[in-house]
Amino acid sequence: MAIFRRKNKKEQRQGEGFRVDDTELISEVAKWLGAGYKGITFEQALEIPAVSASIDFISSICARVPIKLYRETKEGDVVHTEEITDDERLSLLNDSTGDTLDAYQMKKAWVTDYFDGSGYIYINKPLGRWTSLHYVDKLYVTVAKNSDPIFKDADFFVGGRRYFEWEFLKLCRNTTDGFRGKSIVETNGRMLDLRYKMLKFEGMLMQTGGNKKGFLKSASRLDENSLKKLRTDYERLTSDSSYKMMIL
């Protein structure tokens, strides 16, 4: 199965001057530290019921689908395909991962991160034997990509420790390099931000009873006590959605 095949890239790494792509690094810094970036976050997008329900529905289906392995053998010009049933990888992918998450929880979290750009699972394979699979929150994964646009390669840093890209199962959305993807808030940010603000506005109307801010005008000058009482009563009138009245 290709997802566990180790890639030998020693020839590409020799003399390559491996470093983070300066262009992408500057872009990331400008996005988060630039002048007043106020885009919606993925966590805020999940507060939108339609977005949360859709992602939960898709990730649940993907997590329940069993993963199978097949082997192709060739006899002359005839190719035979047979299912593999005694491979230790099947247990890791469909049952016990060897981690605190079972296979369903691991794949569900993995697919959910896909909608935020990229999902990662670490392959624990000491001495060439598949031992366990570990879901890694994308917030803890830093990708250091090389600057070669043709022979693309990258290293992964998790908790300050360096890993090779073939040590991870990667699930990237709208990717152009195979290491990082684009979140739904990047490709549909305006629409999601508008819907999120509409929800906040509706919530504010529910809290204030739908009353708008405005001005009160008195035909005569009010003393300090009357003015203070008017402010208090008007604030109570517009503070929530309960039925209240103000006597003028």
Side-chain angles (χ1 to χ4, degrees):
M1 191 173 180
I3 59 175
F4 286 111
R5 186 181 304 136
R6 175 170 178 171
K7 300 179 182 179
N8 186 2
K9 296 187 177 181
K10 292 183 179 179
E11 295 181 0
Q12 295 182 17
R13 290 178 178 272
Q14 291 178 354
E16 189 180 54
F18 198 86
R19 65 182 187 279
V20 178
D21 187 356
D22 296 337
T23 303
E24 295 196 10
L25 178 60
I26 294 175
S27 176
E28 290 294 322
V29 173
K31 183 174 70 172
W32 295 108
L33 301 181
Y37 177 75
K38 297 181 180 179
I40 188 174
T41 65
F42 183 69
E43 288 71 23
Q44 290 174 329
L46 289 179
E47 295 182 25
I48 303 173
V51 175
S52 178
S54 299
I55 293 179
D56 181 71
F57 178 74
I58 296 173
S59 61
S60 297
I61 291 180
C62 295
R64 286 195 298 265
V65 174
I67 297 178
K68 297 185 178 182
L69 302 180
Y70 293 89
R71 179 189 296 114
E72 288 187 351
T73 57
K74 188 174 182 180
E75 297 180 3
D77 296 333
V78 181
V79 178
H80 299 279
T81 302
E82 60 177 336
E83 182 180 351
I84 303 174
T85 59
D86 57 350
D87 195 294
E88 56 189 349
R89 290 172 292 182
L90 291 172
S91 176
L92 297 178
L93 292 167
N94 299 312
D95 189 14
S96 176
T97 63
D99 190 23
T100 55
L101 302 181
D102 58 27
Y104 175 86
Q105 294 170 330
M106 178 189 70
K107 289 184 285 187
K108 183 175 175 61
W110 192 38
V111 175
T112 299
D113 279 355
Y114 162 82
F115 291 98
D116 194 19
S118 310
Y120 302 100
I121 295 177
Y122 175 71
I123 306 171
N124 186 25
K125 191 180 177 183
L127 302 178
R129 180 179 179 180
W130 300 285
T131 304
S132 57
L133 295 176
H134 303 266
Y135 162 77
V136 184
D137 193 320
K138 67 183 299 292
L139 295 177
Y140 299 100
V141 179
T142 301
V143 180
K145 197 180 77 170
N146 67 349
S147 57
D148 193 325
I150 299 178
F151 299 102
K152 295 177 284 294
D153 195 8
D155 280 349
F156 290 75
F157 291 86
V158 181
R161 184 175 177 181
R162 180 181 180 182
Y163 298 89
F164 297 106
E165 62 93 10
W166 43 261
E167 294 182 275
F168 286 86
L169 299 179
K170 302 175 292 296
L171 190 63
C172 304
R173 179 181 180 274
N174 290 358
T175 183
T176 57
D177 54 23
F179 310 122
R180 290 175 294 192
K182 295 182 179 179
S183 172
I184 58 174
V185 299
E186 293 184 59
T187 56
N188 305 278
R190 290 181 180 272
M191 179 188 69
L192 294 174
D193 189 32
L194 176 61
R195 183 55 186 159
Y196 178 72
K197 290 179 178 177
M198 288 178 61
L199 290 175
K200 290 183 62 178
F201 180 69
E202 292 172 0
M204 182 270 294
L205 291 181
M206 292 296 295
Q207 292 178 353
T208 61
N211 293 290
K212 305 295 189 298
K213 296 180 179 179
F215 299 91
L216 293 179
K217 183 178 180 181
S218 175
S220 60
R221 184 179 181 84
L222 300 177
D223 57 33
E224 186 63 29
N225 291 333
S226 298
L227 184 60
K228 182 177 180 180
K229 186 176 187 306
L230 177 62
R231 289 173 176 172
T232 302
D233 291 343
Y234 189 75
E235 182 179 355
R236 290 177 60 247
L237 176 68
T238 60
S239 61
D240 53 39
S241 58
S242 61
Y243 295 99
K244 295 180 179 180
M245 62 180 295
M246 180 174 65
I247 299 178
L248 300 178

